[in-house]
Structures are given as structure tokens and as C-alpha cells.
Amino acid sequence: MSDYLSKYGYKPDIEAMDRSLSMIASNLDNIVSEQVLKDCFSMMDLTSLRTNDTPDSIKKLVEKVNSFNRLFPSYPLPASICVYPNFASVVRDSRATPELHVTVVSACFPSSQSFLEVKLAECALAVEQGADEVDVVLPLSKFLAGDYAAVEDELKQIRNCVDKAASLQGRNVHLKVILETGLLVSPENIAAASFIAMESGADFIKTSTGKVEVNATPAAAWIMCECIAKFYEKTGKKIGFKPAGGISSAMDAVSYYSIVATLLGKEWLDRKLFRFGVSRVANSIMSAIEKETVNYF
């Protein structure tokens, strides 16, 4: 693990992080504005990952997005709709514009506990069915056992599989790697997992599945964004960041927006490099902008 941190000259400074996060938290009221909230809205991956999802329920969600600009013309569209891989074609065929991306969770989400062959097949099928973005979970069973080479090999095979399936359609598909930071626990584990995922071809690194007890936290986000900055400094490659799980209020979103702005700068405040995984926060952001309760989604 230390090899990855030393390679990029990174050592978590918890005291400095805590001071910075406290300053951000105390300054949120000065940061929040209608424009910042609309920027956050444009970076959302609207998410439906329920056991009782059906083609009809997913289609209804897509239709809400299709009708959104007619009812709220001053708002941007969300970045994507995120669903299980078997619903990729439903989103693709129902969306009014390809600007609304099809995001899927794949590779045996949320546990990543299966055979690699199964994970690869699921990713390939998702891309064939229209996925523009594929979110997969870091193989924690291998990472926590200390087999970092196996983690890297698996993620590289998934990267190659996604690229091969996309190339057959003449497309590019983004890969997001979910670290499940609540189970990694230590700053050093989160940093090592971040560097492994980025070295293995991730376009984004993502905090959490939303399916465990501890999901996105400002501390995990801070460490991941510091690692993205170090990776960019060494390689020149800009990797995106996606907090997900437990983000329920407009001010939660503004907090993560502020962390990204502080550590990565304005270039990252764009849907191409910054996303939120959300199932609840859309209405909260709209309510904050409209200054009344909105329950559209």
C-alpha cells in the first residue's frame, strides 16, 4: 500500500484536513447561491437502484426528466440517469436527448463478490444495451486481503472489456470505480484504492455504493480529491470525482462542491469531471432554489 502513496508523494494530513473541512462547513452560507445550486443539479446522476424497479418505473423517471425543461426552463438537465444494467436500454430508448447519459452500476454491484468472467459479461452487455457510463465496485475482497496486483488486474480487464464493447458501437464509455470508502476506513486505504483505480483506467473515482452503513463523507472526499490532484500533477490526466450515498440535502451537495473547488479548482466544477450520485437530493436542490417545497422527482 505504501508503494502507491510514496509513488505520488502523498501522505494524509488529518489535522490539516479537519481544519480545512471545518472552515468549509462554517462558510457554506457564503458559498451557496442559485448558480452554485444549479451547477450541482447539472452534475447529478439521478439514481434508481431498488429491488422493485421495473421497466415502467424507470421509464416514468426518464419521462420526468424529458418533461423537466418544459416545466423548469431555467434549469440544466441532470447529467445522467443511473440504473441497474438490465434497464440500460429502457433509459436509452426513452430519453429525449443523448445529452442525458445512461449510467449503470455493473460488475456484480454492490458487493463485487462474483467471478470475474461474470463481471466482464455484465459490463459488456450493459454497454451493448446503451450504457454511456459504467460504475463498478473495487474488488474489496482482494484489496482488503492485500492483493493489490489482483485488484489492478481485475480493474484493467474491466476497463478493456468496456472499451472493446464500446468500440464495436463506435462509442466511448466512461468507467467509474467505486471505492466503498466506508469499508476501507483508514485514510491510507482510501488513498491507495484511489491511486490503484486511477492507474487501472478509471475515468472517475466514486466514494460509495449507498448500500453500506457508512457512505460518502467529507473526509473521504477530501482524501480522494487530494489523490486526484497528485495523480494529475504526476501524469497530466484529469480524473473525475463522484460522491454518492447519504447525500440528501442541498447543503450536502454544496459541501462536496466546495471540497472539489478547494482542492481541484474550477476546471473540475463541470459534469465531465464531477458528479453526484443522488436519489433524494434533486428535490432538495430545487426546493432551495425555488424557496418552497418541490417534490418533482
Side-chain angles (χ1 to χ4, degrees), residues 104-227:
V104 300
V105 293
S106 194
C108 302
F109 175 96
S111 68
S112 190
Q113 296 280 29
S114 190
F115 303 102
L116 179 56
E117 293 85 352
V118 175
K119 299 178 187 182
L120 297 175
E122 188 179 62
C123 288
L125 286 167
V127 174
E128 289 169 15
Q129 292 294 307
D132 299 302
E133 306 178 9
V134 176
D135 293 17
V136 305
V137 180
L138 186 96
L140 286 170
S141 61
K142 296 173 181 174
F143 183 90
L144 294 175
D147 194 349
Y148 305 124
V151 175
E152 192 166 330
D153 178 68
E154 177 168 320
L155 292 177
K156 285 179 176 177
Q157 288 198 54
I158 290 173
R159 171 82 267 179
N160 291 336
C161 172
V162 167
D163 287 345
K164 182 178 179 181
S167 68
L168 293 173
Q169 299 181 338
R171 301 192 296 123
N172 292 312
V173 172
H174 279 102
L175 178 67
K176 305 192 198 86
V177 174
I178 306 164
L179 307 186
E180 202 67 290
T181 54
L183 298 181
L184 294 177
V185 183
S186 76
E188 290 78 13
N189 273 347
I190 293 170
S194 297
F195 289 127
I196 290 171
M198 291 187 285
E199 285 193 353
S200 301
D203 296 299
F204 275 73
I205 52 175
K206 175 178 171 182
T207 59
S208 320
T209 61
K211 304 295 186 182
V212 297
E213 187 174 345
V214 177
N215 291 289
T217 64
W222 186 271
I223 294 164
M224 290 169 68
C225 287
E226 284 191 322
C227 292

Side-chain angles (χ1 to χ4, degrees), residues 80-97:
S80 81
I81 291 179
C82 179
V83 294
Y84 282 113
N86 49 308
F87 296 118
S89 62
V90 176
V91 180
R92 178 198 62 194
D93 296 342
S94 304
R95 63 183 173 176
T97 171

Side-chain angles (χ1 to χ4, degrees), residues 38-51:
K38 286 184 176 178
D39 287 347
C40 291
F41 192 91
S42 76
M43 300 165 187
M44 293 188 309
D45 291 343
L46 279 175
T47 302
S48 186
L49 298 173
R50 296 188 299 263
T51 304

Side-chain angles (χ1 to χ4, degrees), residues 50-65:
R50 296 188 299 263
T51 304
N52 61 343
D53 283 338
T54 66
D56 281 347
S57 70
I58 298 301
K59 189 173 181 180
K60 285 177 182 177
L61 177 58
V62 179
E63 288 171 348
K64 284 186 175 183
V65 179

